[in-house]
Amino acid sequence: MATSSGKLLRFLESKKNLAGSACGVAGVGLALTGAAGAWWPVVVAGLYGAGALIAPPERTAPPPFDPNAELDVLRADFGLLREYLAGVELPQAAGDRLTELMGFYEALLDPGWVAEVLVADPESVHAVSRAVRRDVPECVDTFNRTRWWARLTPGGESPERQLERQLDLLHAEAERLTADLREAEAGRQQSHTTYLEERGQRS
């Protein structure tokens, strides 16, 4: 019963009902002046319906997502990834490259102003998330699987070389990402310089 009352109240307060009622009142005014004749109920109902149709639809506000909460979840997943990697044996060259790559992600996700810059760019957050949750684990896991098969059937490109190429590509992607974020900050600094120059010219 309370739900039905709430729906009725929302309808009475809706833009469609208010607009329809306003037009309906205008129809009543026409009826009182005699302009609507004997068909005044139809005129009033028609004007109400027309007003309800032309009124803009009700807008439901989107939920207030907190982008920082997404980073908190990503940091937790990054911690899981570090635990996983700690128990994996990798060749020296690939291991060093992976350590350097993980340093990139750690620096970006570390709470502080850098993370604030990161979270302001959803594409960058997506790139880091994809690397942490899919790319790096996939690189390491497929290396371990392929290395086992390579021991049984040697030949072809070594799994170690494939892993190094994958990590090089991820490293290049991380460098591009940080360069884009740095460029965004440089643009922000330049915009402030321009603002101060223009303000100085006006004073």
Side-chain angles (χ1 to χ4, degrees), residues 15-16 19 51-59:
K15 294 178 182 178
K16 288 186 175 296
L53 285 175
I54 64 173
E58 295 294 326
R59 174 184 171 273

Side-chain angles (χ1 to χ4, degrees), residues 99-178:
T99 299
E100 188 177 354
L101 180 63
M102 293 293 286
F104 262 107
Y105 301 141
E106 183 176 19
L108 290 170
L109 292 172
D110 189 40
W113 68 268
V114 175
E116 292 174 3
V117 174
L118 174 66
V119 80
D121 184 2
E123 291 298 323
S124 296
V125 174
H126 173 70
V128 176
S129 173
R130 181 181 56 199
V132 168
R133 292 170 172 154
R134 189 184 69 187
D135 294 335
V136 172
E138 182 75 6
C139 289
V140 174
D141 186 56
T142 54
F143 163 73
N144 282 319
R145 291 169 180 267
T146 308
R147 181 172 58 171
W148 187 87
W149 288 105
R151 290 169 179 167
L152 298 180
T153 55
E157 187 173 17
S158 69
E160 289 80 3
R161 180 58 190 143
Q162 283 277 15
L163 176 60
E164 290 174 14
R165 286 176 57 192
Q166 291 171 353
L167 294 176
D168 284 343
L169 290 169
L170 287 175
H171 196 278
E173 181 183 66
E175 287 182 329
R176 288 194 301 271
L177 188 150
T178 53

